[in-house]
Structure formats: structure tokens, C-alpha cells
Amino acid sequence: MTKVTNYLSEAFEELKSNVTWPAWAEVQKLTIVVAVFSILFALATWGTDEFFAKALAGFFNWLKG
């Protein structure tokens, strides 16, 4: 248990003293950028899925008919 406590203590000290944290305004800006790109990627994935679903449905209907 001492090793775990020591590890957590050292990790916390590392975060406090050796990590350069961005300014709050930069964090907000980058969060918006990530959110926008996540939405765009989700829409692109949805669009690709819809396209292939319709293409496959049309292909199988063509084979049936």
C-alpha cells in the first residue's frame, strides 16, 4: 500500500510542478474545436452509413427483381 500512496503522491506533485497547463480561454477554445469536429465526424459517419445502407438495399432489390 505504501508504494501506491508514494506513486500517487509523486504523480500529484508532478502535475503541480512540472506540467504546463493552458490558459482557461485556450481550454474553452480548444473544447469548442473538438466538439465541432466530433459533430462533423459523427455526421460524416452517419452519412456514409446511410449511403451504404441504401446502396445495399437497392442492390439486393435489383438481384430479387
Side-chain angles (χ1 to χ4, degrees):
M1 187 67 180
T2 306
K3 288 184 178 182
V4 173
T5 305
N6 190 30
Y7 172 78
L8 291 175
S9 174
E10 289 177 4
F12 185 71
E13 186 60 36
E14 181 83 16
L15 287 172
K16 277 183 11 184
S17 61
N18 295 337
V19 174
T20 303
W21 296 99
W24 181 245
E26 185 178 2
V27 170
Q28 289 175 326
K29 185 178 91 172
L30 293 176
T31 300
I32 291 170
V33 169
V34 168
V36 167
F37 277 102
S38 296
I39 291 168
L40 289 175
F41 187 73
L43 288 172
T45 303
W46 172 79
T48 302
D49 181 55
E50 286 294 316
F51 171 77
F52 280 109
K54 289 183 192 303
L56 284 173
F59 176 72
F60 286 121
N61 283 336
W62 176 74
L63 285 178
K64 266 191 204 176

